[in-house]
Amino acid sequence: FDPSMKPGNYTNHSNHQFYRIGIGNIDGEHKGKSTLWKSDEQYQVATLSALMRQFDISYIDLIRMDIESAEWEVLQDWLDEELFQFIGQLLLEIHIYVKQNKCVDVQPFARIVNSIPLKAFW
């Protein structure tokens, strides 16, 4: 699932399909600041629970997520919906952007990370 890929859904291998939709904390069209490296501002997103229902998935062995600071809302959504019990491993790129050289309160971010019921390793 990656909305920054070429248009449309396609298959690179029988076990490797691409869907041009991103993970989000809402279902529908993402609007606003881009969460993509190429800075598109409008694209389709879906919650993890919606994707699991749509594709009839009960357990995910591995999720790799790099969504340019939108991970905080998505992780909170997964905590609220208790979805971590259906995830084996999470590879996560974390973004905390400093605005105008001002210190950022990292406590809300730390609370989310420390609430994830998976074992952290570095």
Side-chain angles (χ1 to χ4, degrees):
F1 299 95
D2 187 346
S4 67
M5 302 299 286
K6 68 182 180 182
N9 301 327
Y10 57 96
T11 301
N12 271 4
H13 182 274
S14 61
N15 294 325
H16 196 174
Q17 296 180 318
F18 285 94
Y19 295 92
R20 198 166 192 266
I21 187 169
I23 194 77
N25 65 326
I26 61 163
D27 296 314
E29 187 172 350
H30 171 83
K31 296 179 182 175
K33 185 177 179 292
S34 180
T35 62
L36 307 176
W37 65 271
K38 65 179 196 170
S39 299
D40 286 352
E41 294 184 355
Q42 293 184 332
Y43 44 89
Q44 291 299 308
V45 293
T47 61
L48 181 59
S49 57
L51 292 170
M52 290 176 74
R53 281 190 307 274
Q54 179 180 348
F55 291 94
D56 195 27
I57 297 171
S58 60
Y59 188 83
I60 302 170
D61 293 312
L62 174 72
I63 293 178
R64 181 198 164 279
M65 186 167 64
D66 176 8
I67 55 175
E68 306 302 324
S69 80
E71 64 270 10
W72 302 110
E73 292 84 8
V74 169
L75 292 172
Q76 186 61 58
D77 179 57
W78 295 359
L79 287 166
D80 293 344
E81 292 196 38
E82 299 180 354
L83 294 176
F84 284 100
Q85 63 186 315
F86 306 113
I87 300 171
Q89 296 182 57
L90 173 63
L91 281 70
L92 176 65
E93 187 170 321
I94 292 175
H95 302 85
I96 301 174
Y97 295 113
V98 176
K99 295 181 181 179
Q100 300 173 350
N101 295 324
K102 294 183 180 179
C103 292
V104 175
D105 180 8
V106 297
Q107 289 180 349
F109 305 115
R111 181 190 55 75
I112 291 172
V113 169
N114 289 326
S115 297
I116 297 172
L118 297 172
K119 182 179 178 183
F121 63 94
W122 318 105

